[in-house]
Amino acid sequence: MMRTHTCGELNSSHIGQKAVLCGWADSKRNHGGVLFINLRDLYGITQITVNPENPFFQTAEKIKNEFVIKAEGIVAKRPQGNENKNNPTGEVEIIPSALEIISQSSELPFDLGEHAQAGEEIRLKYRYLDIRRKNISQNLVLRGKVANIIRSYLCERQFNEIETPILTKSTPEGARDYLVPCRTNPGTFYALPQSPQVFKQILMVAGMDRYFQLARNFRDEDLRSDRQPEHTQIDMEMSFAGEKDVAEAVEGMMEKIFSFLGEKIERPFLELEYKDAMSLYGSDKPDLRYDIKFENVTSIFKNSSFKVFSDVISSNGEIRAIKAKASAQIYSRGETDKLTDILKKNGAKGLAFFKIKEGKPEGGAGKFISGEEFSALSSLLNLQEGDTVFLIADFPENLNKYAGILRNSIIEKIKPPVLKKRAFLWVRHFPLLEKDCESGNWTFTHNPFTAPLKEHLNMLDTDPGEVLSYQYDLVLNGVELGSGSVRNHDIKIQEKIFSLMGYSKEEMYFRFPMILNALKYGAPPHAGIGIGFDRLMGIICSTDSIRDVIAFPKTTSGACLMTESPSPVSEKQLKELGISVIKK
Ligand code: ASP
């Protein structure tokens, strides 16, 4: 080994010992002629102190930031007053008896200091420099450790880690496929997997019983800040299992991960039916760290003199109310106008509100609220002086669209107390199908292999839009962390669902031959889930950007600035593939 210790290792217990350290010059200072070099590696920073009398002083003078150096010497106690309590190696320094510049560094394109503000573009272009910063390198170290915990937890529970192909056929998850042209058969293409969905189900048919993989998924969709064209998923599937078995396995895994981080999480996780999540929180991924929710107050307003409400009720609409506690001061006229505008932009006809002042509804719609309505609202919402109540009225499916926006905005504005640090939640029983706007056909809401609820099977013929499914989402602090379902192991039901989606038998066997054929040969009941590993790590590392937990991420426009991809290819390559590019 070139070194005896890392730069994060030495402390007062090593004083007097000889040490050889290697690393990068993080900084160099000259204090009264003495040179102090902070030598950095992945593990920490150790101070190298070079006096003018030192035979290596001239070498030290040549050292610049990010030079790679090797320092050999005795571990010495720092003079009193020079210790750095914030650094684990801060009590000692190395007085070098040898100092070598191993490699030099060009001038840096940006400052690597922990608090330096460098634009993301430049950081991604020089990602190898960016990763030297502790905030990124430590995320990557932690990511590796968490991956290890996941592997060992799942292996202990008889899950088999199995790799599935990257070059494959289209695997539908609702996004566009990335295609890879095939040279040996021009005009044909592989698709990169949107997830290993079909393969993991086939592995269950193959009798592999329990599968997992830290799988790479590729989805060509419009990118948002928390999306990447390729992302990693903790992908799992279990035979002879249902939704509760998957939940148990996942909750145990989360418990293990968070206990490694020193946190005890509450189990069992909360559960909500999809329809309740929508009506109580206006979201299928509500952030339940906050105790703030909608109440259906339609019946309270059945005799309302407020025309907006009575109109909505007479056309079978709904009125929902939400309380913003102690917020009368926060919601000035300007604020409520702003909020109304936001909701209108999202489809609402308006926003009614009132505040509680001297025990009465005041302002906004306050004058339309009768004494009886107010007392019913007061006891339902436990209203107190200074609270604001917002009311929205519309058809339920329209309300769902903007109720969530209203709730999030209230949370952001009034900052209610956080009930717990980690609010895990299962949202269950999503609708199986929804109408595709373009074709008018039914299409799957999550993936086409999800099983309908047993008790809804007979509605597949009569009322497909009302059929609920064994589809579940795992939510953490308002982030959709994962999605999974109990699958169709009965080929008749699977074919039926494809036919509702508008596929003829021929088409379905052309598009999904592997899974449909496999289901003919004795398929066990099975269920599974895919959990976004990047998102999970983003939450664990407390960063809003999943790019901070991925070694080589892409920008929001899908570019890798470091490798300069995507990029044009040569005419020769195109010719071999039988492809000609149409210039747009
Ligand atoms: N294949 C699904 C997804 O990638 C996860 C699953 O249902 O297991 O979202």
Side-chain angles (χ1 to χ4, degrees):
M1 282 294 279
M2 282 184 78
R3 60 187 177 190
T4 56
H5 298 83
T6 70
C7 296
E9 218 175 329
L10 299 174
N11 54 44
S12 54
S13 73
H14 299 92
I15 290 171
Q17 289 180 20
K18 196 182 139 196
V20 185
L21 301 186
C22 295
W24 287 260
D26 193 64
S27 63
K28 188 173 89 175
R29 284 162 296 140
N30 184 334
H31 265 276
V34 182
L35 293 177
F36 296 94
I37 298 163
N38 273 350
L39 191 61
R40 184 198 72 233
D41 65 9
L42 182 61
Y43 312 95
I45 288 183
T46 303
Q47 179 170 292
I48 314 292
T49 306
V50 195
N51 289 304
E53 310 77 62
N54 191 307
F56 291 93
F57 187 79
Q58 275 182 341
T59 310
E61 278 189 307
K62 290 189 197 123
I63 291 171
K64 295 202 180 114
N65 281 2
E66 299 307 307
F67 277 28
V68 176
I69 55 186
K70 178 177 171 187
E72 186 173 336
I74 300 295
V75 182
K77 185 167 171 42
R78 287 197 200 177
Q80 211 163 9
N82 287 0
E83 300 93 345
N84 178 354
K85 293 255 161 2
N86 299 324
N87 184 352
T89 67
E91 274 186 80
V92 298
E93 59 188 357
I94 301 276
I95 311 292
S97 52
L99 188 63
E100 185 190 334
I101 294 176
I102 297 176
S103 73
Q104 303 194 355
S105 168
S106 302
E107 184 140 358
L108 297 173
F110 61 94
D111 184 354
L112 302 191
E114 213 175 305
H115 303 290
Q117 297 286 334
E120 193 168 30
E121 283 209 0
I122 193 125
R123 288 175 38 212
L124 291 180
K125 180 165 161 62
Y126 296 94
R127 189 63 164 172
Y128 40 86
L129 297 179
D130 196 28
I131 293 176
R132 285 187 198 167
R133 297 160 70 233
K134 211 165 131 197
N135 12 8
I136 303 293
S137 64
Q138 293 312 311
N139 290 352
L140 298 183
V141 169
L142 190 55
R143 182 179 173 120
K145 289 187 176 156
V146 173
N148 244 332
I149 290 170
I150 292 167
R151 285 207 163 88
S152 68
Y153 169 84
L154 290 171
C155 287
E156 264 166 35
R157 296 181 142 230
Q158 268 76 48
F159 281 82
N160 301 298
E161 182 168 9
I162 304 174
E163 288 158 277
T164 53
I166 296 296
L167 293 177
T168 181
K169 199 177 168 80
S170 180
T171 56
E173 293 284 351
R176 230 176 253 120
D177 288 324
Y178 281 103
L179 298 175
V180 180
C182 171
R183 180 186 56 81
T184 49
N185 197 355
T188 62
F189 296 82
Y190 300 101
L192 303 184
Q194 290 185 36
S195 88
Q197 183 67 32
V198 173
F199 291 102
K200 65 178 175 175
Q201 287 193 239
I202 288 176
L203 285 166
M204 298 301 100
V205 179
M208 289 308 300
D209 199 53
R210 287 176 167 209
Y211 143 96
F212 88 95
Q213 182 181 194
L214 290 181
R216 200 63 72 81
N217 295 349
F218 304 86
R219 297 182 187 177
D220 185 0
E221 51 196 347
D222 294 331
L223 301 172
R224 293 194 306 242
S225 64
D226 63 343
R227 279 205 186 138
Q228 284 279 304
E230 50 184 305
H231 70 267
T232 305
Q233 176 165 298
I234 310 163
D235 200 40
M236 299 162 61
E237 198 73 12
M238 305 165 78
S239 288
F240 305 109
E243 42 185 352
K244 297 285 171 195
D245 304 291
V246 175
E248 206 271 328
V250 169
E251 291 184 21
M253 182 165 78
M254 292 299 158
E255 189 170 49
K256 262 262 153 60
I257 294 170
F258 282 89
S259 100
F260 166 75
L261 301 168
E263 285 180 43
K264 190 167 164 40
I265 57 171
E266 262 172 47
R267 280 184 69 186
F269 295 174
L270 294 173
E271 286 185 25
L272 274 175
E273 290 289 303
Y274 164 79
K275 72 169 179 358
D276 294 337
M278 294 311 286
S279 66
L280 295 172
Y281 303 99
S283 167
D284 60 2
K285 46 177 190 309
D287 189 342
L288 294 195
R289 282 176 299 173
Y290 309 102
D291 179 22
I292 156 164
K293 61 174 186 246
F294 288 93
E295 297 285 351
N296 185 337
V297 294
T298 318
S299 64
I300 295 180
F301 287 103
K302 59 182 184 296
N303 300 319
S304 175
S305 62
F306 189 25
K307 187 153 167 8
V308 179
F309 288 180
S310 55
D311 283 354
V312 164
I313 294 176
S314 62
S315 49
N316 284 329
E318 195 175 296
I319 301 171
R320 287 185 206 161
I322 191 164
K323 175 177 80 175
K325 206 169 159 40
S327 64
Q329 301 296 331
I330 298 173
Y331 284 110
S332 62
R333 179 68 193 263
E335 281 304 329
T336 51
D337 283 354
K338 236 193 274 167
L339 192 49
T340 309
D341 278 349
I342 295 173
L343 292 194
K344 279 188 173 166
K345 279 200 190 97
N346 284 282
K349 291 192 192 82
L351 172 67
F353 72 92
F354 64 85
K355 299 174 183 179
I356 321 294
K357 206 167 162 199
E358 289 161 18
K360 292 203 197 84
E362 276 278 327
K367 53 184 174 295
F368 300 110
I369 312 281
S370 72
E372 207 177 310
E373 288 162 351
F374 181 62
S375 83
L377 284 175
S378 282
S379 58
L380 181 67
L381 300 172
N382 186 21
L383 296 181
Q384 311 213 340
E385 195 66 16
D387 291 347
T388 310
V389 177
F390 292 99
L391 296 143
I392 48 178
D394 210 324
F395 296 113
E397 53 281 17
N398 294 349
L399 279 181
N400 290 346
K401 258 190 261 160
Y402 48 82
I405 297 171
L406 174 57
R407 179 176 184 264
N408 285 344
S409 151
I410 295 172
I411 290 172
E412 214 172 280
K413 202 88 225 158
I414 72 170
K415 304 198 170 33
V418 174
L419 300 181
K420 50 179 118 172
K421 187 169 174 203
R422 311 287 182 192
F424 280 102
L425 166 72
W426 291 106
V427 178
R428 295 191 182 288
H429 307 148
F430 284 71
L432 180 73
L433 299 164
E434 64 191 3
K435 278 272 181 199
D436 181 62
C437 316
E438 274 170 37
S439 67
N441 282 334
W442 292 108
T443 184
F444 55 89
T445 59
H446 277 71
N447 81 48
F449 309 112
T450 298
L453 294 192
K454 245 199 241 132
E455 57 274 28
H456 286 189
L457 275 176
N458 53 359
M459 290 198 303
L460 276 176
D461 284 315
T462 53
D463 215 349
E466 292 300 309
V467 174
L468 298 184
S469 70
Y470 292 107
Q471 174 76 40
Y472 36 80
D473 274 2
L474 176 64
V475 178
L476 171 55
N477 295 357
V479 175
E480 182 197 314
L481 208 52
S483 201
S485 63
V486 177
R487 326 294 184 185
N488 293 307
H489 67 281
D490 180 337
I491 185 157
K492 287 207 189 64
I493 297 172
Q494 186 62 70
E495 286 180 350
K496 170 95 212 161
I497 291 170
F498 279 135
S499 76
L500 282 169
M501 285 166 49
Y503 291 118
S504 68
K505 203 138 185 175
E506 261 173 7
E507 276 172 308
M508 62 182 93
Y509 275 83
F510 175 72
R511 293 214 41 192
F512 312 105
M514 53 282 194
I515 183 78
L516 288 172
N517 286 323
L519 290 181
K520 288 180 190 158
Y521 295 96
H526 57 289
I529 192 165
I531 297 170
F533 188 42
D534 306 309
R535 285 194 188 165
L536 175 64
M537 287 312 303
I539 292 173
I540 289 175
C541 297
S542 309
T543 167
D544 289 333
S545 168
I546 57 168
R547 295 187 288 281
D548 288 348
V549 297
I550 299 173
F552 301 106
K554 299 194 171 49
T555 62
T556 36
S557 55
C560 172
L561 301 177
M562 190 183 74
T563 59
E564 297 181 1
S565 70
S567 56
V569 296
S570 70
E571 276 304 322
K572 180 167 172 277
Q573 282 172 302
L574 287 175
K575 212 159 166 192
E576 276 173 349
L577 296 167
I579 286 181
S580 76
V581 175
I582 301 167
K583 296 251 164 16
K584 277 196 187 161

